Amino acid sequence: MSIISRSRRIPLVGGLLATGAAAVLLLTTVLAVPASAHGSVVDPASRNYGCWQRWGSDFQNPNMATQDPMCWQAWQDNPNAMWNWNGLFREGVAGNHQGAIPNGQLCSGGRTENGRYRSLDTPGAWRTTNVANNFRVRFFDQASHGADYIRVYVTKQGFNALSSPLRWEDLELAGQIGNTPASQWTPTTGGVQIDIPTNAPGRTGRHIVYTIWQASHTDQSYYLCSDVNFGGSNPTTPPTTPPTTPPTTPPTTPPGGSAGCTATYRSTGQWSGGFQGEVQVTAGSTAIKGWTVTWTFPSGQQITSSWNATVTSSGSTVTARNAGYNGALAAGGTTSFGFTGSTTGTPAAPTPTCTATA
């Protein structure tokens, strides 16, 4: 991603033209572009990435004050927080995130970079992205650092994102991945990206998604706030012509009867000697308290890392058990977990089976 500066006069809020000031501002923003790029959550967009994405080419537009007031206050406080949307990190934290970042300063990484990102801590009506309770967080790594881990937290139901500063005790872990080299991420324009499956049951309305990315190249921790609205699922387009032939066989009952579950596998990435997969677990017609998914791999395939489940292997048999936060599912509810693996040939899709604990 590149930032293009427009060679034009910039209208100031009062309607005056200050050519000299504009030139200085443009020079400042060009110099603010980081020499070595890093990364951020791009969907649902982190606060400063979203502000840069929407207003980077028109950041002096006074209409922002009414159309996007939280971005307006951020641009007024320090435009470099947006130009450097991919540089919100601290070094030398050694995993002690709560010790390094005080309550109320989570979105700015503890006022990192001499307070450059402090405006991101301001509570208010930040633009939100509609999500379902099961969604994915997409992280873009512009420098292909890879991750020691990425952890995704979601605020607890009842948190007031409009007026309450974010605190550690307001968060619950909702998704994570372990050590994942950049070679296992998906190549994209300007870098690599990876999706982290996230499950936040029971959430409605406005919430904050808080992502910690521990980059692999050094002890560098990134802290990103994204604003979401639960209750809007991603709508699908209905078929233009309804089916005219009824199914020839009735639907099957999942194992375990009405308190059962089903599991569906899909491939999410493949590279020489490795692959990445995801399994979606769906509860049956009644709620469940936990689940176990098993499958058998062909010879030459084995798990190397996993997230959102405890995954063990015995020979070619793989067993995945729910994590503490995604075992309980309402009737028809879903969650997902993922893994990476190694392979000596083309990875074959397994056929998982699911057993529920009622």
Side-chain angles (χ1 to χ4, degrees), residues 131-148:
V131 296
N133 293 109
N134 285 283
F135 63 107
R136 56 106 180 96
V137 169
R138 174 161 294 174
F139 200 100
F140 175 68
D141 180 359
Q142 202 166 4
S144 298
H145 292 319
D148 286 344

Side-chain angles (χ1 to χ4, degrees), residues 212-358:
I212 299 176
W213 173 39
Q214 184 68 42
S216 292
H217 68 300
T218 184
D219 185 6
Q220 200 170 74
S221 308
Y222 291 72
Y223 305 95
L224 294 318
C225 281
S226 305
D227 296 272
V228 298
N229 179 47
F230 289 99
S233 60
N234 297 322
T236 57
T237 303
T240 55
T241 304
T244 56
T245 305
T248 56
T249 57
T252 58
T253 302
S258 61
C261 58
T262 57
T264 306
Y265 170 86
R266 72 182 184 98
S267 174
T268 56
Q270 185 176 331
W271 55 92
S272 177
F275 64 98
Q276 180 171 323
E278 180 182 277
V279 175
Q280 178 173 294
V281 177
T282 304
S285 58
T286 61
I288 62 175
K289 296 180 179 179
W291 46 264
T292 301
V293 176
T294 59
W295 69 85
T296 301
F297 269 142
S299 177
Q301 291 180 224
Q302 63 180 42
I303 300 291
T304 56
S305 68
S306 62
W307 51 93
N308 282 0
T310 301
V311 180
T312 58
S313 299
S314 177
S316 59
T317 300
V318 179
T319 303
R321 293 180 173 85
N322 62 269
Y325 53 84
N326 65 355
L329 298 175
T334 64
T335 188
S336 61
F337 65 92
F339 55 86
T340 59
S342 61
T343 180
T344 57
T346 302
T351 302
T353 60
C354 185
T355 304
T357 302

Side-chain angles (χ1 to χ4, degrees), residues 157-199:
Q157 185 65 15
F159 175 78
N160 189 338
L162 294 174
S163 60
S164 301
L166 185 61
R167 307 171 303 170
W168 288 104
E169 54 263 38
D170 297 323
L171 298 171
E172 288 182 339
L173 185 65
Q176 63 181 327
I177 61 173
N179 183 267
T180 313
S183 61
Q184 297 178 12
W185 295 36
T186 302
T188 188
T189 303
V192 294
Q193 66 186 29
I194 195 167
D195 290 351
I196 302 96
T198 305
N199 181 41

